[in-house]
Amino acid sequence: MSTELEPSSDTLAAVQQRRQASILLSRLQWLFILLLIIALAWLYVSQQRFQNQINERLHSNEQVVSRLNEMDDRLFAISQQSLPEPRSQAGSQAQNQLDLLRIQIQAADRLLADNNHSAAIDLLRGLQWQLSQSNNEIAPTLTIVIKQSLAEDIERLQAQSNQPSPWQLQNLAMQDIQEFLHSTNYGNSIDARNDGRDSTTRITVTNRQLIIHEVIMTLNLAMQASNMREKEQLTSYLQQARKQLQVLVPNTSLPKNNAHANSVTPSTDTDKHTTGHQKSLTKEAPHNISEVMVWLDELIANAPAATPLLTTQMLDKSR
């Protein structure tokens, strides 16, 4: 009787197989759940990445549209300000064409101020074609002079378009200064952590780090002003950065305030000034705070300035 109550070997094997099958099924279920979670996470990340790309494109399009609207507003404002005042006697057709030419040249100057050399060149070429038409009533001698000045302006702008602009050189120099200040600040942080001297020394190091951080933030503002082609703001921020750094330089090693600026007085020739400015700002990076002060003096003395076209100057003289 006792032998009949014992389960047979087939029954035990079947139970064991069911148990293994149950464990395998459970593992497959968990594996499926894990894969489902991974797929959902991947879909979420892909959706967020796609949404970010769409937002960036929309933001970029909005900036382009805003920039075009600003340019249209500026051109309209220039045309409104430059229109000749009504006179009792109607001007001749030649005078009207000359006034329109001045407005178009002012628009080209505005394009150059925005660093849009290609559009300015296209506009100047359009003016050359306009002066060559049969309906041109401007005096022949004046037309020849205007065409020559337009050709010189186009040649100069083509040469400048193949070189980095003075604004870009300013930004590159300020980035080099920021990199040096970052490395200086990082080195001071290491010295402060490894130095076991009294608390007064550690406070001095902290103040130096704070000053360097303020200078770096001021240079960020100066780079923003340079990107906006705001010369006065750029110069103001550079002078502020120099003033902040003065407390870190001994009086004996400070450069004279105006000596270096006088030695790099901007040239009246725009091309020579740009070439000299490029050489002065592509030299080796600064090695100490005194050299940074010299660099800031150079940036202040060589702050880019908008140079009017030769045609603009010639038309102003012909008034």
Side-chain angles (χ1 to χ4, degrees):
M1 295 296 292
S2 60
T3 57
E4 294 178 356
L5 296 176
E6 294 179 356
S8 63
S9 59
D10 294 339
T11 305
L12 292 176
V15 171
Q16 187 176 4
Q17 289 177 356
R18 284 197 298 270
R19 185 176 302 171
Q20 290 178 351
S22 177
I23 293 174
L24 180 60
L25 180 61
S26 176
R27 290 180 178 176
L28 289 175
Q29 289 176 346
W30 280 109
L31 179 60
F32 176 77
I33 293 173
L34 181 61
L35 291 175
L36 181 61
I37 293 174
I38 294 175
L40 291 176
W42 180 80
L43 288 175
Y44 177 77
V45 172
S46 299
Q47 189 270 340
Q48 291 295 323
R49 186 180 301 171
F50 177 75
Q51 184 177 356
N52 291 335
Q53 291 178 353
I54 294 298
N55 291 336
E56 290 177 359
R57 291 180 180 178
L58 291 176
H59 183 66
S60 177
N61 291 336
E62 289 177 358
Q63 288 181 340
V64 172
V65 172
S66 176
R67 194 66 175 174
L68 290 175
N69 290 335
E70 290 179 1
M71 187 178 296
D72 291 339
D73 293 340
R74 290 175 180 177
L75 290 175
F76 179 76
I78 291 174
S79 63
Q80 292 297 319
Q81 294 175 0
S82 303
L83 286 175
E85 297 180 358
R87 295 172 293 183
S88 57
Q89 297 181 355
S92 63
Q93 181 68 16
Q95 184 62 41
N96 292 336
Q97 291 180 352
L98 196 58
D99 292 336
L100 178 60
L101 183 63
R102 289 193 179 97
I103 296 174
Q104 292 169 325
I105 290 296
Q106 289 177 357
D109 281 327
R110 177 56 61 182
L111 290 173
L112 289 180
D114 293 335
N115 201 32
N116 194 346
H117 285 71
S118 60
I121 292 173
D122 291 339
L123 179 55
L124 295 181
R125 286 175 176 169
L127 296 180
Q128 283 183 322
W129 175 86
Q130 179 178 319
L131 292 173
S132 301
Q133 299 305 303
S134 58
N135 59 352
N136 178 32
E137 299 293 339
I138 301 176
T141 54
L142 183 57
T143 299
I144 294 174
V145 174
I146 295 174
K147 284 184 177 181
Q148 290 177 350
S149 63
L150 287 173
E152 293 178 4
D153 285 330
I154 292 174
E155 182 179 358
R156 180 171 61 90
L157 293 181
Q158 287 176 338
Q160 290 180 356
S161 62
N162 297 325
Q163 300 176 355
S165 69
W167 301 100
Q168 293 174 336
L169 295 176
Q170 288 270 339
N171 284 348
L172 290 176
M174 287 186 284
Q175 288 176 3
D176 290 339
I177 293 175
Q178 284 183 322
E179 290 178 2
F180 167 75
L181 294 178
H182 274 299
S183 62
T184 302
N185 225 12
Y186 178 71
N188 289 336
S189 299
I190 294 177
D191 294 340
R193 289 196 299 268
N194 296 333
D195 194 356
R197 290 177 292 182
D198 57 10
S199 60
T200 304
T201 303
R202 289 195 295 272
I203 292 175
T204 303
V205 171
T206 302
N207 289 336
R208 177 187 177 89
Q209 294 172 353
L210 179 60
I211 292 173
I212 292 178
H213 177 72
E214 290 178 350
V215 173
I216 292 174
M217 298 303 295
T218 304
L219 290 177
N220 285 335
L221 296 175
M223 293 174 66
Q224 293 179 7
S226 178
N227 292 332
M228 297 298 294
R229 306 293 191 266
E230 296 291 344
K231 178 183 176 181
E232 294 182 358
Q233 291 185 6
L234 171 63
T235 305
S236 175
Y237 287 130
L238 291 176
Q239 291 173 345
Q240 180 179 347
R242 189 187 189 283
K243 184 177 181 181
Q244 291 169 338
L245 279 177
Q246 277 184 339
V247 298
L248 302 181
V249 183
N251 293 331
T252 56
S253 62
L254 276 175
K256 295 182 180 180
N257 292 334
N258 296 324
H260 186 73
N262 293 333
S263 65
V264 290
T265 302
S267 171
T268 55
D269 190 338
T270 305
D271 297 332
K272 293 182 180 179
H273 169 64
T274 302
T275 304
H277 186 38
Q278 183 174 0
K279 291 180 179 179
S280 65
L281 296 181
T282 53
K283 60 185 180 182
E284 188 177 358
H287 297 86
N288 51 54
I289 301 298
S290 297
E291 291 186 8
V292 172
M293 301 283 286
V294 175
W295 273 50
L296 290 175
D297 286 337
E298 289 185 359
L299 293 176
I300 294 171
N302 292 285
T307 304
L309 296 169
L310 296 176
T311 308
T312 302
Q313 301 175 17
M314 188 274 299
L315 290 175
D316 290 341
K317 292 179 180 179
S318 65
R319 286 182 180 273

